[in-house]
Amino acid sequence: LRELLLKRRAEILHALCSGGSVEHLERVIDMLLAQGELGWEDCQNVLVPGRALYSNARQLLDLVYTKGADSCELFFNAVKQVLPEALGDTFFLSGCHSTLDYKEKPQRTSTEELLTQRPDLVLKLQGCIDGALRVLVESGHFSPTDCDGIQLPIYTPSQQARRLLDHVRSKGESASLVVLQYVQQSLESESSLEQTNPKFVKYQKKLRSSVSAQSRFLSTYGGTSHMPLDDIYTEVQMELPNNSADNYKSMGFEEIIGPVGSVNDDADTVLASGEAGSGKSTWLQRLHLLWSQGKALQDFLLLFPFSCRRLNSEQRDLSVQELLFQHCCWPDRGQEEIFQFILDHPHLVLFTFDGLDELKQSFADEHRICCPSQRAPVDVLLFNLIQGSLMKGVRKVVTSRPEAVGPALKKHLHKEIHLKGFSLSGIDCFVRKHHSDPNEAAKVLESLQANTALLGLCHSPVLCWIVSQCHKELLGCGEGSLQTITDVYLMILQHFFQHHSTVKSAMGVNWLQENLGTVLHLGQLAFEGISNSSYIFSVTDMETCGVTESDICMGFLIQSKDMSLANSKCCEFLHITLQCFLAALFAILSRNTGCSAISKLFELQEMKKKRLRGTCFGACLNSTNIPNIVKEHSTMAETPNLQITATFVSGLLSQRYQKLWIQCSSSVLVEKKTKQAEKCLSKGMQQHFRSIPQPVQGEKKSMHAMPEFVWLIKCIYEMQNSRLAKDAMSKLEAEHLKLTYCNIGPVECTALAYVLQHLKNPVGIQLDNNSVGDVGVEQLLPCMHICNSLYLRNNNITDEGIHKLIDKVIHLQNFQKIALFNNRLTDACTKHFSYLLKTRQNFLSLRLGNNNITAEGAKQLAEGLKFNRSLQYLGLWGNKIGNEGAEALANALENSESIVWLSLVGNGVGSAGACAMSNIIRNSTSLEELWLTENCITRTGVESLTQALKHNHHVKSVWLKNNDLTSAEIEEMQQTDSRLVF
Ligand code: ADP
């Protein structure tokens, strides 16, 4: 077993830590503690606060290994309990017990019981921390300060439970007894609910099993096979704005609904936003499933799931009661009682609304209602529920695309989290889960590694699913041939046709022509749906577009589970992006759609500006041939679907695909549509450039790109039209491109580089606050030769990304500045910067604030600095370089004639470091500003700086706020030199 532990070490570590959350590790430790296998001291040695999760996990593995085979066995069993699927069945030896065997021990004291029942207690206490703390305070065991320490919002509910248990242990036997009795009582009161209110409990069971039935399988597999969500679910990355420390790790549902990152404590609605295909519905489905299985959110006795897509078809006015019971779960008995229970216990109830962007009406909070029995149109009910005038206290979780979230909605949000798709390890994990054959998975992953543009696309779960689903086509089509999103969707189109092809041999080159009927029927349905914000189609809708049974069987459409249309057979597309893709195919291939339909797709922004009302592009269809589902006006929320459709149109009209259309449509018409799309894109870009304001005197001409700019760039990339890119870029005169907060991920980086590489003059590229990541950095490399400054603050970049970047820019003389504040860099990146500094004698600015650089990293940087004659700005704010690091830097910069600005704010620098800094002040001829705020410098350090300043007239200020100085010292020292800022 010890050997097995060694052999599988990497795998176990990955399983325990890959989600980024310490929960799995802590649960394993709970079990080992409970079994007496670990002691408290062991525990402290393993869970060292502030140390990386992986290091803690490694420590545990080492410990278990040292303790011997018995320990290893208990460890394996604990891992299996915590992560039943993570390591596969083969992992465990047949002799291993699969359930946890607590060591038999007569239990004498409550304190001992607290320990042996720890895993269980952690679970039970999570939902009732408040109550447990209350009884501990009432019984005099805890002070309010004890409670505050336990309930710090940085802790997840399970961590709070553990802290509570640890604290109780230190308070002795009677405190332990209080906790055990409290937990026992709450369990009893739960079962007494069953006795006093049997109808409620029956309803709860019915609701639970209906939620479970709806959420157990993933719908994208509906057409082909059933995939249990439990088997395929892969954690997605999340970003909690205003809480950069936790960004990109995945959070548990308790944490998401809890107080961490709250922007409005009065509000009850948590919003999860993300692009189409980023995994919002699946994430919500997971929430439903875990609740129904009793694995999460057990504080909520009832959970009501709604789909906004389905609510669209509710024409009647409803009361809240009718909404809950008719759209979610019907109580067989005691409706009034059950509803009264909901009204009386709002905090025990959770509502979820999936896809707010798909609701026909945009969010508005004008029409207020507050009486739960009042009937109103469903959208009005929904908006009142979200903003809390109805059913205050009931928690709501809403998902939406970002475009549909305006300020009116934002002010009613408890918090907003952004779903960011899969991480690199998430992609890996998903592909392995998707393929039961490990060799197949390995091949898919290998081909993704070989094609980073495609790997970038796979951060989006829907694309990752397609790529995995089409692995045969993927492996058959040759490396690097899949580049664009359109390529991937054409692949799935072909895949579905292949799957249903009656001729079992490979499909002919005319595969599209052979299936043209289906494409046109489904395309028309999709196209009309997009233009009318319809995502669910009745039998009549399908008949009108000529959709036949065999078209439906192809797998693009799945049966809709619309409750209010229970009797009719309604369908929806597997995913909204697939609907957009088929709509785009229709726009190109249908002889009844002309060029005007194409230009309408690209003219959105202008349309919005002019506030044109009326049908958007439905009017462009030839109305004699295509019956129009009448639409009153277009809402902002549908813009994204039109934009996705336009992106696909651009891709499909690429020269690379012209041959495919020859047999399927009029080539003259397709040619015309191509010209039209090119014209629209080029006009769109010019319009954007015209809006660049004249620079303020002394500043660079700067363009702040709007999200539409990124969309236009993506269209040009999809088209793979470098002439268009060149033309557009020749007209851009800005010296600085600002693309902050534009939702730029690896895919957008690929497109940006494709277009920006044609710029005439070097520019600064500012991409702060996006999700570029390492893959995105790699995608940007082709345009680095025209980049003089690269700003990538807060972008989830690691040392790996930096390595690739520096390998490229080391040879590019234009590249002079880089800002990487708040990424995931460690000492491992500093050797690359050091190399850059040594090699490039015109490099000006290096900012590495808020990363994880220690003294070792600073020493590496110093090595490079010794040989550099050009660097003017060096920012290391918020790292951990300490005195040793500061001394190394000072040593390297002592005689610098270039450094102007140096920041070591918040680096644990003490007086020794400050004394070293004095040497730079003394000898450097260039330094103007030195930032030493938030360190631990004492009087000795400041005196040394003061002495040095006496001989220096270049330095303008030395910042020393928040150091270890008394106010008397500050007052005194302020007198000595006015350049010292305290
Ligand atoms: P959105 O609601 O953001 O448009 P979906 O949740 O519908 O995205 O995701 C699209 C598809 O991507 C899903 O049907 C599924 O195949 C895949 N997918 C999304 N999220 C996950 C996940 N967390 N784990 C596994 N597959 C996922």
Side-chain angles (χ1 to χ4, degrees):
L1 281 171
R2 291 178 79 204
E3 246 166 51
L4 188 63
L5 188 73
L6 274 189
K7 224 167 92 192
R8 299 292 184 104
R9 188 175 166 94
E11 213 177 322
I12 302 172
L13 280 171
H14 183 72
L16 283 174
C17 309
S18 65
S21 152
V22 70
E23 180 62 21
H24 293 148
L25 183 64
E26 288 191 349
R27 279 178 59 195
V28 169
I29 291 176
D30 283 344
M31 292 184 184
L32 296 175
L33 271 172
Q35 292 164 305
E37 200 49 49
L38 290 188
W40 294 109
E41 206 175 313
D42 293 332
C43 219
Q44 276 168 2
N45 290 337
V46 171
L47 290 171
V48 178
R51 192 167 65 180
L53 175 58
Y54 270 94
S55 309
N56 286 345
R58 279 192 196 103
Q59 182 79 35
L60 176 65
L61 262 65
D62 293 346
L63 191 63
V64 170
Y65 180 82
T66 330
K67 282 182 185 259
D70 285 352
S71 246
C72 293
E73 180 171 359
L74 290 169
F75 172 77
F76 282 139
N77 286 330
V79 172
K80 183 150 195 186
Q81 291 250 315
V82 173
L83 295 152
E85 291 135 29
L87 301 170
D89 289 341
T90 52
F91 180 75
F92 298 95
L93 290 184
S94 51
C96 286
H97 311 291
S98 61
T99 51
L100 197 61
D101 244 359
Y102 290 111
K103 274 185 185 160
E104 292 269 329
K105 242 198 238 174
Q107 275 160 15
R108 284 183 301 268
T109 65
S110 301
T111 314
E112 273 179 4
E113 216 169 314
L114 212 60
L115 183 62
T116 52
Q117 292 185 24
R118 185 177 171 94
D120 227 23
L121 286 169
V122 167
L123 210 66
K124 286 176 184 153
L125 277 169
Q126 280 179 47
C128 53
I129 297 272
D130 283 341
L133 287 174
R134 200 183 54 241
V135 293
L136 281 163
V137 171
E138 280 166 7
S139 60
H141 292 99
F142 270 25
S143 70
T145 329
D146 292 332
C147 300
D148 291 347
I150 288 167
Q151 283 187 303
L152 284 178
I154 49 165
Y155 299 122
T156 61
S158 60
Q159 285 174 327
Q160 292 185 1
R162 286 187 191 100
R163 286 181 68 83
L164 186 146
L165 290 174
D166 296 347
H167 215 65
V168 165
R169 189 170 50 91
S170 71
K171 301 275 175 179
E173 182 63 13
S174 69
S176 305
L177 187 65
V178 168
V179 172
L180 289 172
Q181 281 172 348
Y182 174 76
V183 172
Q184 185 60 30
Q185 272 163 14
S186 8
L187 287 181
E188 279 163 11
S189 69
E190 239 175 62
S191 64
S192 78
L193 181 67
E194 183 138 19
Q195 281 154 18
T196 54
N197 201 340
K199 283 179 205 152
F200 174 81
V201 173
K202 210 160 168 219
Y203 180 65
Q204 192 192 22
K205 283 197 179 130
K206 182 174 178 187
L207 182 64
R208 223 176 250 279
S209 71
S210 124
V211 173
S212 160
Q214 279 173 36
S215 53
R216 226 172 303 144
F217 294 100
L218 202 62
S219 63
T220 26
Y221 298 85
T224 43
S225 59
H226 286 290
M227 178 66 98
L229 186 64
D230 269 337
D231 291 355
I232 190 72
Y233 189 81
T234 306
E235 296 296 340
V236 283
Q237 305 180 97
M238 284 170 197
E239 189 184 54
L240 194 58
N242 317 322
N243 191 19
S244 54
D246 283 340
N247 279 349
Y248 298 98
K249 70 170 206 185
S250 60
M251 285 177 264
F253 290 110
E254 260 84 11
E255 209 177 330
I256 286 164
I257 295 192
V260 184
S262 158
V263 287
N264 179 356
D265 288 336
D266 285 339
D268 303 317
T269 301
V270 173
L271 175 80
S273 65
E275 302 299 326
S278 62
K280 300 178 295 297
S281 305
T282 311
W283 173 79
L284 201 59
Q285 190 177 334
R286 172 81 170 162
L287 181 155
H288 298 158
L289 185 64
L290 290 185
W291 176 80
S292 72
Q293 295 171 335
K295 290 186 186 158
L297 300 171
Q298 293 306 295
D299 287 356
F300 298 102
L301 298 185
L302 300 175
L303 183 154
F304 293 94
F306 296 96
S307 146
C308 295
R309 175 178 283 204
R310 308 201 203 303
L311 288 178
N312 273 330
S313 48
E314 179 54 84
Q315 306 297 334
R316 299 167 295 171
D317 281 7
L318 296 179
S319 68
V320 177
Q321 184 172 346
E322 287 162 339
L323 180 76
L324 298 184
F325 293 165
Q326 292 180 20
H327 277 268
C328 285
C329 179
W330 183 259
D332 300 316
R333 283 166 57 215
Q335 287 170 37
E336 295 310 321
E337 267 168 72
I338 291 166
F339 191 62
Q340 194 55 47
F341 181 91
I342 294 171
L343 291 178
D344 294 344
H345 303 91
H347 59 288
L348 300 180
V349 183
L350 179 68
F351 294 169
T352 69
F353 297 99
D354 189 25
L356 191 68
D357 51 289
E358 292 196 350
L359 202 72
K360 291 213 174 175
Q361 296 78 6
S362 310
F363 180 84
D365 64 356
E366 293 130 25
H367 187 166
R368 295 268 169 125
I369 48 173
C370 44
C371 170
S373 58
Q374 188 180 341
R375 289 209 168 97
V378 171
D379 58 303
V380 175
L381 279 189
L382 193 87
F383 300 152
N384 277 279
L385 287 170
I386 289 177
Q387 40 123 316
S389 49
L390 260 184
M391 311 289 282
K392 179 88 196 136
V394 171
R395 282 273 163 184
K396 295 105 195 170
V397 178
V398 178
T399 69
S400 173
R401 285 199 247 172
E403 294 85 351
V405 184
L409 173 59
K410 281 205 176 184
K411 66 174 191 259
H412 299 297
L413 295 180
H414 177 67
K415 72 174 98 165
E416 178 176 357
I417 56 161
H418 300 301
L419 297 196
K420 296 277 182 183
F422 293 150
S423 62
L424 277 177
S425 60
I427 296 175
D428 194 278
C429 178
F430 176 87
V431 173
R432 289 183 198 280
K433 285 183 174 187
H434 194 276
H435 296 273
S436 46
D437 174 0
N439 287 331
E440 209 170 80
K443 275 189 202 149
V444 172
L445 289 168
E446 211 174 283
S447 61
L448 289 181
Q449 290 303 335
N451 180 352
T452 48
L454 188 60
L455 182 63
L457 293 178
C458 288
H459 284 283
S460 161
V462 70
L463 286 158
C464 198
W465 167 69
I466 296 181
V467 166
S468 301
Q469 183 76 14
C470 303
H471 66 276
K472 287 209 181 83
E473 289 82 353
L474 174 76
L475 300 175
C477 72
E479 251 165 44
S481 59
L482 288 173
Q483 291 288 316
T484 66
I485 304 182
T486 313
D487 294 342
V488 174
Y489 277 79
L490 268 171
M491 176 169 76
I492 190 140
L493 187 73
Q494 200 171 356
H495 172 82
F496 276 130
F497 289 141
Q498 171 81 63
H499 197 78
H500 285 273
S501 167
T502 41
V503 192
K504 278 291 161 215
S505 60
M507 281 196 298
V509 276
N510 295 334
W511 63 272
L512 188 64
Q513 197 189 5
E514 285 158 20
N515 294 288
L516 191 60
T518 304
V519 170
L520 287 175
H521 303 155
L522 294 176
Q524 183 179 338
L525 190 72
F527 188 87
E528 296 212 359
I530 294 294
S531 59
N532 292 294
S533 313
S534 295
Y535 313 105
I536 295 185
F537 306 97
S538 67
V539 173
T540 328
D541 293 336
M542 288 187 275
E543 272 170 14
T544 324
C545 296
V547 176
T548 63
E549 266 308 310
S550 73
D551 295 337
I552 296 176
C553 288
M554 286 294 174
F556 300 104
L557 286 171
I558 50 170
Q559 190 123 16
S560 167
K561 294 178 220 114
D562 195 331
M563 309 224 184
S564 50
L565 294 167
N567 296 328
S568 53
K569 222 169 106 193
C570 286
C571 283
E572 57 195 283
F573 284 94
L574 263 185
H575 192 256
I576 182 68
T577 49
L578 203 59
Q579 183 175 347
C580 294
F581 178 69
L582 284 159
L585 267 173
F586 182 75
I588 289 168
L589 294 180
S590 162
R591 291 169 200 258
N592 297 322
T593 55
C595 288
S596 54
I598 304 291
S599 49
K600 287 289 179 230
L601 270 174
F602 289 95
E603 264 176 19
L604 290 164
Q605 210 192 355
E606 211 182 10
M607 294 263 295
K608 263 182 269 162
K609 272 194 205 136
K610 289 181 187 164
R611 298 201 176 281
L612 275 186
R613 295 259 158 179
T615 50
C616 190
F617 74 176
C620 305
L621 299 171
N622 180 333
S623 54
T624 52
N625 289 301
I626 295 159
N628 242 333
I629 307 162
V630 182
K631 188 177 63 161
E632 291 302 313
H633 53 81
S634 58
T635 62
M636 287 289 279
E638 70 200 17
T639 308
N641 289 336
L642 297 175
Q643 287 192 342
I644 296 173
T645 310
T647 314
F648 282 130
V649 164
S650 312
L652 293 169
L653 288 174
S654 160
Q655 278 309 320
R656 303 179 301 153
Y657 291 128
Q658 296 288 332
K659 266 196 236 130
L660 204 56
W661 319 133
I662 288 176
Q663 282 110 354
C664 303
S665 185
S666 140
S667 50
V668 179
L669 190 57
V670 173
E671 176 80 2
K672 269 196 193 158
K673 287 178 183 174
T674 311
K675 290 265 167 329
Q676 188 65 34
E678 287 177 1
K679 208 168 107 192
C680 292
L681 286 174
S682 136
K683 214 170 97 190
M685 291 294 264
Q686 280 176 42
Q687 239 172 25
H688 210 86
F689 297 157
R690 270 202 297 274
S691 65
I692 306 175
Q694 284 305 313
V696 184
Q697 208 179 8
E699 281 188 12
K700 292 193 166 162
K701 187 161 181 176
S702 167
M703 182 186 87
H704 195 153
M706 295 297 158
E708 273 86 0
F709 175 73
V710 180
W711 165 60
L712 288 169
I713 293 238
K714 275 170 84 171
C715 290
I716 296 177
Y717 173 71
E718 285 296 313
M719 211 176 231
Q720 294 284 296
N721 188 330
S722 55
R723 182 180 42 78
L724 205 59
K726 224 180 261 174
D727 272 5
M729 288 302 107
S730 68
K731 295 182 184 99
L732 179 61
E733 278 169 7
E735 294 158 275
H736 187 89
L737 298 181
K738 202 168 170 186
L739 291 142
T740 53
Y741 293 103
C742 281
N743 228 336
I744 292 176
V747 183
E748 289 72 21
C749 289
T750 315
L752 271 174
Y754 181 82
V755 175
L756 295 184
Q757 62 178 315
H758 297 293
L759 274 167
K760 286 174 304 182
N761 299 314
V763 291
I765 303 179
Q766 189 170 356
L767 289 163
D768 299 335
N769 300 304
N770 286 293
S771 326
V772 169
D774 291 345
V775 181
V777 167
E778 203 172 345
Q779 295 304 302
L780 286 172
L781 299 182
C783 72
M784 281 302 108
H785 62 282
I786 53 82
C787 175
N788 51 30
S789 328
L790 183 61
Y791 302 81
L792 285 168
R793 298 179 185 105
N794 199 17
N795 264 298
N796 198 23
I797 294 165
T798 76
D799 304 324
E800 187 92 5
I802 295 306
H803 185 177
K804 291 192 173 133
L805 178 70
I806 299 213
D807 264 3
K808 171 86 184 188
V809 299
I810 198 98
H811 310 293
L812 304 175
Q813 289 304 314
N814 282 330
F815 193 87
Q816 293 185 311
K817 294 181 183 173
I818 188 158
L820 287 158
F821 182 82
N822 207 20
N823 280 288
R824 291 167 49 205
L825 307 180
T826 72
D827 291 337
C829 76
T830 52
K831 65 172 183 289
H832 307 299
F833 285 116
S834 184
Y835 175 46
L836 178 81
L837 290 167
K838 267 187 206 164
T839 320
R840 291 278 314 283
Q841 294 303 329
N842 69 345
F843 196 76
L844 298 178
S845 171
L846 176 59
R847 294 177 191 248
L848 297 170
N850 225 19
N851 283 288
N852 279 311
I853 295 169
T854 71
E856 284 315 304
K859 285 181 198 164
Q860 281 281 357
L861 284 178
E863 281 308 302
L865 285 167
K866 276 186 200 156
F867 298 94
N868 181 280
R869 301 276 161 271
S870 60
L871 194 76
Q872 295 178 352
Y873 297 85
L874 178 61
L876 286 164
W877 182 57
N879 284 285
K880 300 181 192 78
I881 69 162
N883 277 332
E884 231 181 296
E887 281 163 355
L889 291 176
N891 198 6
L893 289 170
E894 214 166 44
N895 296 309
S896 171
E897 291 173 10
S898 64
I899 195 84
V900 174
W901 183 96
L902 173 62
S903 168
L904 301 182
V905 171
N907 262 288
V909 176
S911 284
C915 291
M917 287 290 127
S918 310
N919 289 337
I920 312 184
I921 298 182
R922 212 165 271 126
N923 301 324
S924 157
T925 52
S926 52
L927 187 71
E928 290 180 9
E929 274 192 53
L930 178 60
W931 286 80
L932 293 169
T933 300
E934 276 165 33
N935 280 298
C936 38
I937 300 167
T938 59
R939 185 186 186 103
T940 328
V942 184
E943 278 172 355
S944 166
L945 291 165
T946 318
Q947 280 302 322
L949 280 170
K950 283 192 183 148
H951 309 282
N952 179 309
H953 302 290
H954 310 283
V955 172
K956 292 186 181 141
S957 45
V958 177
W959 294 79
L960 285 159
K961 284 178 196 257
N962 293 335
N963 275 285
D964 284 354
L965 300 163
T966 63
S967 36
E969 282 173 329
I970 293 178
E971 202 158 310
E972 179 197 330
M973 288 188 279
Q974 224 152 16
Q975 313 294 328
T976 57
D977 198 310
S978 62
R979 291 173 292 175
L980 297 174
V981 188
F982 293 98

